[in-house]
């Protein structure tokens, strides 16, 4: 194998081998001579930045794309699936990130729809439900299978999806970002299932953005970069920092952000004397969403919100920005009590908010980059005080330059930009309005490591210019590096606020683990 | 489970209240025959609504049903009166024609990813225009079999009777119920309505199913057209004008979500009964002109859509609460 | 060359080509199709007729373009046309001497107010209650015609008040008066949408309503006013229709007009999925529909059969707009080349 630390002779032979796979799209070489092996009884993670070719490789394997050249061997026999269905028939089962089930059907039916047991030409519901219960029991899941799927948590739905794709003939299970919308408990629940399946001898291909999870679950890692094969490693022989460096193709010393963390702690200690208060929240709460909380944000502050998924971070941000309306408490902006009942009033008070769900709550894919940028500013000025096109272009060009947004031009459609650049575009939209407070919900999620660094650096710069920033991220490391203070949340309650030397990953984790 | 049946219960309650209210207010309103008349007078609407329920549950819409009904009255009367074909041939020809029209529209919608609204709208024009190609004028049907079907009655208990059309409608409803509940095709319709993309990725035959749904709706429209001629004994290009909306209203009042994925043929039958009883009430009332039916139907559609909205928002709120509770529970169980 | 490239990428080119082909067909096959005569200072001819008869649909299409751009639809406009005609006819009255019961301006104003109210009702259901547009407007679609019939007591009211005939039958500077109404509405709508931020906000709502709200824009307000405006347009259209035939027939006024108007918008390049909208395209779309009808009349085909041709055109245009279809055709040609 081509990897420098290629894992020598294996104790078993691979069930799947992909050799010298090439695939190009008009203008892009998506995969060049990529090798990939999958062993039975192992969890194998494919790692790489966005654009590294992970999803293209998987799509070749599952028959969504056809490779230009290269061969695939399943148990030493060449295969060429031409559709996901054909791949499924070969024993290659895939569970996608967006759970591809029908929310309006029962759990049992979701497992069997399309191949329901028949008797006398009609669907045998009794048998169907019994078999669903048995299949779920194999994964140690017990739920009422006659309930509609939509009445269960995402984790349960994920497992139903797994049960659906697995059947006796399944030999390979592909999990594409299965954990991206699960909370910690749910992730662990899912991992238990994955380990069980692995121990049963299934070969599992696992794709994720979460480094920690890769180390928790995988036995083997293949790294891709720019469509090229970098190497294949045993997980335990590959230190985390090496993995990042190989994904980036950079030397470790190039991580400018590694230093930033130190600076922040000093700044954090300096601050607090003469800074003006930008935002003060008192006992703001919404029953069922988040327990009443208070917080304050001064000029130049970056308040990190740390907590597990579902801990109430997003709910907190939505309440402050007026997306949901609080049923108690008050908000003071620059010391003045402000009635925030909709995003519009929050914006007029000088706030900006980048949602965690870029696609459905942020970007207007069919509008131009220019329009995406000036939209909030125009909203702020009012519908009838139109910003002339020329002025719009100026504003857009300036922000494209200062944020280094990669786009062919301001008049190109925003949907064509990569994830990281779309994230920057949302930032640009709010920066155009010149806000005093910026709320960023997971601005670094789902984008490649390079873009992550740029965004974090941007946050630091903005706060140095006096902006108050509320920063939400699932990666505690990032929260610490950017923030002057960190609010810790657990189970919809704000349980602590850390600053200065207290800010560390282990401290946050201990705080969360320690309870309220 | 119970929540799922709530819209149907509301429709049922509505029907009972209307029937009860009418019985108290008007002498001669309350009778078994009056109840049976609802079926007799609306059997073609029920047949249309069965096809429409399939379409709407799959997340689509079929605006062509009223016109296809008219076309099938034209073709059957023309074949009977002008070509003097036997009913044994006429009926299959007309049914095949309706199915073919639906098949054609379904093919366009599915294969070329075109909006059902536009394609079936064009189908509405097409079928209505084809009526005039057959004839501009009314064609009377004098065929003995048809006359027999038009005038025949079947006695039920006591002196109460129904027309043969009712049996056709009931058979269609029963067949529809079976297909929706007990066949893979029927379940695929629900799956497509719930999430079409998922259905594709689950390996369901989405293409064939969707085309078949429109073909089925075309078949129902043609059958409804034949049944319609049992009432009118004529073919006329303006028959069934606006009936696509009556069918849609019936389905919606029956608790089927226009967003697709949720719906039930029993609800549709109740919707048809509610639709029928409004007309009867207005006739009994006497002073209101028949156009009030439209206003009342519009109002009912409004009330039902409002209920569905409240139901939906209530459900998503409940779901959020449920999720909050479930997370720790799931942990414990694993 | 560059201009052509820009043009071929712009959405208006397809409807224009369609219209061009229709015109070309008429040039060869319809005698005198392009002849325009001057009679008593008025212009007459097929082309003028197309513009004149197309006016009600063009007016409807202006309002619908905005509604469809928000990823909505308003299928109630035909019924609202009937309401408009019904209200104005009731208020003017069927006095044979032509003396209006109430001043004509008042009657027209009242009809428009009723129609704006109808539009606001739709807007309220869509924006505040959050109903799907097709369902929300289905309600008035069903009930509206009933309201119109109840208003006129289910009778056809004939009008004899001469001044009212100006809207639909009158001429100004040689051209039908209704064209000035279309031009005025079109220009006003263009200015309001494109010389303010209204257009961009409408497109934003159509593409991503949630993100619009999150960007601090009053998305509900935009939706609401689009439907209200569509109601207004339907009202104006109803006045023109009523004035053209000098009668209000609640059963037939505006019948199937919603379908024509929606078709016009779609033919004009505005997607039913919302987003970018093209007011001029919608006008061209309306002209396509009207030209088609006129062409068929010119061939002495029964007017009702025109619907068949209309349907076939819709299928053809829908197919041309379908990417799947274009890809398939392209694939067919590519294969043939390989074979050759």
């Amino acid at each position: 194998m081509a990897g420098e630390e290629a894992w020598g002779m294996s104790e078993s032979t691979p069930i799947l081998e992909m050799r010298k796979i090439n695939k190009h799209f008009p203008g892009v070489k998506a995969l060049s001579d990529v090798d990939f092996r999958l062993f039975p009884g192992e969890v194998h993670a494919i790692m790489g930045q966005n654009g590294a070719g992970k999803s293209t490789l998987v799509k070749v394997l599952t028959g969504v794309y056809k490779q230009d050249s290269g061969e695939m061997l399943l148990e030493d026999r060449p295969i060429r699936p031409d559709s996901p269905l054909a791949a499924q028939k070969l024993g290659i089962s895939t569970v996608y990130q967006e759970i591809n089930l029908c929310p309006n059907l029962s759990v049992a039916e979701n497992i069997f729809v399309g191949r329901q047991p028949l008797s006398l030409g009609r669907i045998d519901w009794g048998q169907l439900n019994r078999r669903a219960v048995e299949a779920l029991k194999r994964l140690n899941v017990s739920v009422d299978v006659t309930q509609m799927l939509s009445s269960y948590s995402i984790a349960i739905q994920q497992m139903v999806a797994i049960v659906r794709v697995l059947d006796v003939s399944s030999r390979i299970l592909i999990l594409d970002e299965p954990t991206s919308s699960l909370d910690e408990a749910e992730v662990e629940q899912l991992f238990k299932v994955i380990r069980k399946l692995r121990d049963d001898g299934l070969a599992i291909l696992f794709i994720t953005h979460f480094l920690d999870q890769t180390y928790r679950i995988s036995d083997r890692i293949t790294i891709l970069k720019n469509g090229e094969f970098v190497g294949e490693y045993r997980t335990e022989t590959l230190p985390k920092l090496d993995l990042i460096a190989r994904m980036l193709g950079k030397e470790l010393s190039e991580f400018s952000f590694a230093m930033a963390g130190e600076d922040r702690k000093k700044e954090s200690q300096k601050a607090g004397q003469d800074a003006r208060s930008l935002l003060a929240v008192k006992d703001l709460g919404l029953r069922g969403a988040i327990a009443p909380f208070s917080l304050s944000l001064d000029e130049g502050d970056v308040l990190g919100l740390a907590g597990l998924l579902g801990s109430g971070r997003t709910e907190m941000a939505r309440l402050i920005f007026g997306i949901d309306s609080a049923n108690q408490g008050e908000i003071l902006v620059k010391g003045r009590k402000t009635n925030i009942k909709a995003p519009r009033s929050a914006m007029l008070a000088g706030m900006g908010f980048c949602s965690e769900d870029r696609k459905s709550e942020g970007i207007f894919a069919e509008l131009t980059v220019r329009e995406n940028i000036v939209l909030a500013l125009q909203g702020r000025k009012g519908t009838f005080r139109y910003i002339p096109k020329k002025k719009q272009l100026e504003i857009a060009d300036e922000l494209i330059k200062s944020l280094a947004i990669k786009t062919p031009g301001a008049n190109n459609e925003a949907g064509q930009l990569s994830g990281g650049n779309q994230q920057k575009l949302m930032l640009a939209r709010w920066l155009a309005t010149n806000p005093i407070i910026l709320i960023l919900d997971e601005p670094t999620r789902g984008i490649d490591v390079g873009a992550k660094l740029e965004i974090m650096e941007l946050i630091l710069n903005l706060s140095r210019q006096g902006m108050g920033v509320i920063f939400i991220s699932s990666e505690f490391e990032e929260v610490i590096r950017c923030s002057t203070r960190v609010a810790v949340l657990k189970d919809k309650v704000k349980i602590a606020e850390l600053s200065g030397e207290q800010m560390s990953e282990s401290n946050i984790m201990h705080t969360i683990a320690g309870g309220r | 489970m119970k929540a799922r049946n709530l819209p149907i219960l509301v429709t049922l309650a509505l029907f009972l209240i209307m029937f009860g209210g009418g019985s108290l207010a008007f002498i001669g309103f309350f009778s078994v025959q009056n109840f049976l008349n609802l079926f007799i007078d609306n059997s073609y609407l029920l047949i249309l609504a069965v096809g429409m329920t399939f379409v709407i549950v799959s997340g689509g819409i079929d605006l062509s049903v009223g016109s296809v009904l008219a076309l099938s009255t034209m073709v059957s009367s023309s074949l009977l009166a002008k070509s003097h074909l036997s009913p044994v041939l006429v009926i299959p020809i007309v049914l095949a024609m309706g199915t073919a029209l639906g098949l054609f529209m379904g093919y366009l919608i599915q294969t070329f990813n075109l909006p059902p609204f536009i394609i079936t709208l064009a189908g509405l024009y097409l079928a209505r225009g084809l009526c005039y190609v057959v004839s501009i004028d009314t064609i009377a049907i004098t065929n003995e079999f048809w006359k027999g079907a038009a005038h025949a009655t079947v006695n039920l208990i006591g002196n109460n009777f129904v027309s043969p059309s009712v049996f056709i409608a009931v058979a269609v409803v029963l067949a529809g119920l079976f297909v929706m509940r007990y066949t893979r095709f029927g379940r695929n319709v629900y799956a497509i309505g719930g999430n079409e993309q998922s259905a594709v990725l689950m390996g369901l035959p989405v293409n064939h199913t969707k085309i078949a749904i429109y073909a089925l709706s075309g078949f129902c429209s043609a059958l409804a057209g034949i049944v319609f001629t049992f009432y009118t004994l004529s073919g006329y290009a303006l028959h069934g004008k606006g009936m696509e909306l009556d069918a849609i209203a019936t389905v919606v009042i029956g608790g089927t979500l226009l967003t697709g994925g949720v719906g039930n043929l029993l609800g549709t039958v109740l919707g048809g009964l509610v639709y029928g009883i409004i007309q009867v009430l207005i006739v009994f009332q006497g002073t209101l002109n028949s156009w009030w039916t439209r206003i009342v139907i519009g109002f009912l559609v409004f009330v039902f859509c409002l209920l569905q909205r409240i139901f939906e928002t209530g459900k998503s709120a409940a779901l959020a609460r449920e999720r909050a509770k479930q997370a720790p529970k799931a942990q414990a169980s694993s | 060359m560059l201009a052509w490239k820009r043009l071929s990428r712009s959405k208006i080119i397809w409807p224009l080509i369609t219209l061009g082909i229709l015109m070309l067909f008429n040039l060869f096959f319809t005698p005198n199709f392009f002849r325009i005569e001057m009679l008593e200072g008025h212009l007459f001819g097929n082309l003028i007729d197309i513009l004149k008869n197309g006016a009600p649909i063009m007016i409807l299409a202006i309002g619908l373009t905005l509604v469809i751009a928000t990823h909505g639809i308003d299928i109630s406009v035909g019924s609202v046309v009937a309401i408009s005609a019904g209200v104005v006819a009731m208020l003017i009255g069927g006095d044979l001497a032509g003396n209006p019961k109430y001043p004509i301006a008042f009657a027209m104003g009242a009809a428009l107010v009723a129609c704006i109210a109808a539009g606001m009702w739709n807007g309220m259901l869509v924006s505040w209650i959050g109903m799907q547009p097709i369902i929300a407007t289905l309600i008035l679609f069903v009930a509206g015609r009933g309201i119109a019939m109840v208003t006129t007591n289910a009778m056809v009211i004939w009008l004899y008040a001469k001044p009212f005939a100006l809207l639909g039958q009158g001429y100004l500077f040689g051209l039908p008066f209704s064209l000035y109404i279309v031009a005025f509405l079109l220009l006003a709508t263009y200015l309001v949408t494109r010389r303010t931020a209204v257009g961009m906000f409408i497109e934003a709502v159509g593409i991503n309503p949630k993100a619009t709200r999150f960007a601090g824009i009053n998305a509900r307000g935009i939706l609401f006013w689009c439907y209200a405006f569509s109601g207004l347009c339907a009202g104006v259209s109803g006045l023109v229709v009523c004035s053209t035939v000098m009668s209000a027939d609640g059963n037939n006024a505006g019948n199937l007009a919603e379908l024509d108007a929606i078709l016009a918008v779609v033919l004009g390049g505005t997607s039913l999925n919302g987003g970018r909208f093209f007011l001029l395209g919608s006008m061209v779309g309306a002209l396509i529909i009207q030209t088609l009808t006129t062409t068929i009349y010119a061939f002495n085909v029964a007017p009702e059969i025109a619907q068949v041709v209309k349907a076939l055109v819709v299928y053809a245009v829908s197919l041309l707009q379908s990417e799947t279809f274009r890809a398939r055709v392209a694939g067919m040609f590519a294969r043939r080349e390989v074979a050759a």
Side-chain angles (χ1 to χ4, degrees), chain B residues 31 53 147 281 289 321 332:
Chain B
S31 70
T53 307
K147 277 184 170 167
L281 280 172
N289 86 43
R321 253 177 277 129

Side-chain angles (χ1 to χ4, degrees), chain A residues 84-85 96 99-106 109-111 113-118 120-125 140 142 146-148 150-156 164 181-183 185-186 189 192 288 309 492, chain B residues 1 4 57 178-205 260-262 315 319-324 326-331 333-334:
Chain A
L85 205 60
Y96 299 91
I99 298 168
N100 286 300
L101 297 174
C102 295
N104 59 325
L105 302 182
S106 74
E109 200 174 1
N110 265 294
I111 296 174
V113 66
R115 46 177 194 206
Q116 295 97 330
L118 302 176
L120 301 172
R122 49 179 285 240
I123 294 173
D124 184 342
W125 286 95
N140 297 327
S142 58
T146 60
Q147 289 290 326
M148 281 213 270
S150 60
S151 60
Y152 288 103
S153 70
I154 305 286
I156 299 283
R164 173 172 174 85
S181 43
L182 302 189
D183 67 29
E186 292 173 326
Q189 200 182 357
K192 270 189 188 149
L309 203 105
K492 318 279 181 200
Chain B
M1 274 307 228
R4 227 187 301 179
V57 167
F178 177 81
V179 169
M180 285 199 116
R181 179 74 187 153
Y182 289 107
T183 65
R184 286 183 182 167
F185 169 74
R187 302 318 294 173
N188 291 346
V189 173
Y190 281 94
I192 291 169
N195 187 336
E196 184 170 342
Q197 219 191 332
S198 290
V200 172
L201 288 164
M202 287 163 114
L204 303 182
V262 179
K315 206 175 70 178
L319 190 64
R321 253 177 277 129
E322 201 53 37
R323 257 212 91 170
Q326 230 164 27
K329 221 197 288 167
Q331 200 176 2
S333 75
S334 61

Side-chain angles (χ1 to χ4, degrees), chain A residues 183-185 288-291 306-313 315 488-495 512 515-516, chain B residues 324 327-328 331:
Chain A
D183 67 29
E184 194 46 39
I290 180 127
L308 304 171
L309 203 105
S311 61
R313 303 168 313 189
E315 288 84 346
V488 184
L489 287 95
K490 182 187 180 184
D491 295 342
K492 318 279 181 200
V493 183
K494 181 184 165 193
I495 51 172
I512 293 172
R516 322 204 154 167
Chain B
Q331 200 176 2

